[in-house]
Amino acid sequence: MSSIELDHVSKLYANGAYGVRDVDLTIAEGEFVIFLGPSGCGKSTTLRMIAGLEGITSGDLRIGGRSVTHVAPRDRNIAVVFQSYALYPHMSVRENMGFGLKMRGVARPVIEEKIKEAAGLLGLAPYLDRKPAALSGGQRQRVALGRAIVRDPVAFLLDEPLSNLDAQLRAEMRLELVKLHRRLGRTIVHVTHDQVEAMTMGDRICIMRDGRMIQVGKPLDVYADPVDTFVARFLATPPMNLLPARLEAQGDGLLVRGDGLSVEVPAMHRDAYAPATGREVIFGLRPEDIHEAPQPGFQRIDVTVVAMESLGVENILVGQIGQGNGAEGRPAEISARLSRHYTAAVGATVPLYVDARPMHLFDPETTRALPRPSLRVLGH
């Protein structure tokens, strides 16, 4: 059993500040879970508490059903892979991978067999006699993973292991980690601030802020139904567009009206949002739900182009809507993901078309999402 249970776990420092506050989470055996959040949110501290490298102020931590809150790190059978690799520069790859087992008094033939198996999994067999200085960043990270694998732990804890790699290597290692998880079938907890890693690797995402877990769920569920504006903006790049508005009645329907904004609420959401009629709201819509061409059901908005970002596979339009009548006195900015063939001159006012079905409304005071049926449940 390698389930990990955090039962209302907190970390309180001597200065009275909480590093982690009341985290209540169960990680199933064999699950790949991502801790995602900005710097200082408590994700690495939570990981270190699971490893035993940080003490727990309150709550209980169980691994495989056994309380390990006061158990030494070496007795938890957990392997940690750090951002810095932490390889011994004077040792070969083989020696680095086997060092921990050697210190535990494991017989040399057993060590060699485990090294051979791990090197095969990670493609390190040709490099076993090299020193870390002769390896690329991606190869060093594989060595750090190999050193963890040979220990045969019940779970792997990965603390931003890809952040030192360039973009191409990060993409390659993301895929390698997913493959490795499938082969080993072990529990993995992976800490990152990278939204792409979170969306593509994990079975579940745990989004943290100020030491608390804000939302936990499958990546696409969290993406489709963020619980508040923080999650809505943090989980994707470009982030969700969030615009101040007011929800008004219009005949039998509802209208979201703001500066330069007038969007009819789709019928599927009317009953859910009707209680907020007449209230100030925050209108949320992701950039990919704003289109360059009209289609049935799409609603037009006029946007003044501020910038065009060409990414090859797509163009990101950044534009302004309205006249700037809000509290800040300037037009609100929105982003739209458009086709790679779309062009528009900076300063031009262009029509774009909103698919309002994935829209969200948030409470301006609490920043929490107003409840509505999930499109994932509705099949959209």
Side-chain angles (χ1 to χ4, degrees):
M1 289 284 292
S2 57
S3 63
I4 299 172
E5 300 169 74
L6 293 93
D7 187 358
H8 298 284
V9 167
S10 295
K11 174 67 177 181
L12 179 65
Y13 293 109
N15 64 2
Y18 277 94
V20 173
R21 191 160 192 165
D22 199 33
V23 169
D24 197 37
L25 177 70
T26 297
I27 301 170
E29 181 176 6
E31 193 174 16
F32 197 139
V33 168
I34 304 287
F35 289 176
L36 176 69
S39 297
C41 71
K43 56 188 185 296
S44 289
T45 301
T46 305
L47 187 94
R48 290 173 64 84
M49 287 194 293
I50 296 172
L53 303 176
E54 289 273 2
I56 294 174
T57 306
S58 63
D60 190 35
L61 173 68
R62 295 182 291 274
I63 298 177
R66 178 176 72 104
S67 177
V68 296
T69 303
H70 304 292
V71 173
R74 65 179 178 273
D75 297 322
R76 299 188 183 196
N77 196 19
I78 295 284
V80 185
V81 177
F82 296 103
Q83 172 183 344
S84 62
Y85 315 143
L87 302 178
Y88 296 106
H90 63 288
M91 293 184 182
S92 67
V93 169
R94 186 191 311 275
E95 291 167 331
N96 266 287
M97 290 175 65
F99 182 74
L101 296 180
K102 181 180 177 182
M103 291 296 98
R104 290 170 180 249
V106 177
R108 185 170 184 80
V110 175
I111 295 176
E112 287 298 324
E113 182 61 30
K114 287 182 175 292
I115 291 173
K116 180 180 177 181
E117 182 180 352
L121 275 174
L122 296 167
L124 290 172
Y127 311 107
L128 287 175
D129 295 319
R130 293 190 186 181
K131 300 287 178 64
L135 303 176
S136 68
Q139 289 165 342
R140 292 179 196 176
Q141 192 56 268
R142 285 187 175 92
V143 176
L145 284 167
R147 183 174 55 192
I149 290 170
V150 298
R151 289 183 48 198
D152 195 24
V154 296
F156 295 89
L157 308 181
L158 313 180
D159 193 1
E160 303 208 43
L162 310 184
S163 60
N164 285 340
L165 306 180
D166 62 39
Q168 182 175 347
L169 274 177
R170 278 204 307 273
E172 292 174 2
M173 284 302 298
R174 284 199 304 266
L175 182 58
E176 290 302 318
L177 282 172
V178 171
K179 290 179 180 177
L180 187 64
H181 175 245
R182 289 173 181 164
R183 291 171 187 160
L184 297 176
R186 300 297 170 86
T187 305
I188 295 180
V189 181
H190 180 110
V191 163
T192 184
H193 60 267
D194 187 303
Q195 298 96 330
V196 176
E197 287 180 28
M199 289 297 297
T200 58
M201 294 171 62
D203 297 319
R204 281 191 299 161
I205 299 175
C206 305
I207 297 186
M208 297 190 68
R209 182 187 187 188
D210 298 332
R212 295 183 182 273
M213 293 242 172
I214 304 299
Q215 186 170 4
V216 178
K218 295 179 180 179
L220 289 178
D221 290 342
V222 175
Y223 181 84
D225 296 300
V227 297
D228 62 15
T229 56
F230 172 78
V231 176
R233 289 192 62 83
F234 189 79
L235 193 56
T237 303
M240 181 182 287
N241 298 299
L242 299 173
L243 303 171
R246 184 178 179 85
L247 186 63
E248 300 179 353
Q250 187 181 58
D252 294 331
L254 294 173
L255 194 69
V256 178
R257 191 186 298 278
D259 184 24
L261 180 72
S262 181
V263 174
E264 185 178 351
V265 175
M268 67 179 69
H269 299 322
R270 284 178 197 159
D271 290 344
Y273 285 149
T277 303
R279 288 171 47 189
E280 300 297 317
V281 294
I282 297 173
F283 173 74
L285 194 71
R286 294 208 178 272
E288 53 269 34
D289 297 317
I290 302 174
H291 303 268
E292 62 205 67
Q295 291 188 32
F298 286 10
Q299 303 179 54
R300 174 173 168 164
I301 59 173
D302 292 321
V303 178
T304 300
V305 180
V306 173
M308 289 290 297
E309 301 175 354
S310 297
L311 303 180
V313 296
E314 64 183 359
N315 288 329
I316 307 296
L317 181 149
V318 180
Q320 294 179 331
I321 65 170
Q323 303 300 314
N325 298 326
E328 296 184 4
R330 57 186 177 85
E333 284 192 354
I334 66 167
S335 298
R337 303 179 84 108
L338 307 175
S339 78
R340 61 182 176 177
H341 305 295
Y342 182 88
T343 59
V346 172
T349 298
V350 299
L352 294 176
Y353 300 90
V354 167
D355 179 3
R357 288 174 299 175
M359 65 170 281
H360 294 273
L361 294 181
F362 300 90
D363 186 314
E365 294 184 4
T366 67
T367 75
R368 301 285 293 181
L370 302 184
R372 66 147 172 78
S374 170
L375 296 195
R376 301 268 294 161
V377 175
L378 294 173
H380 291 276

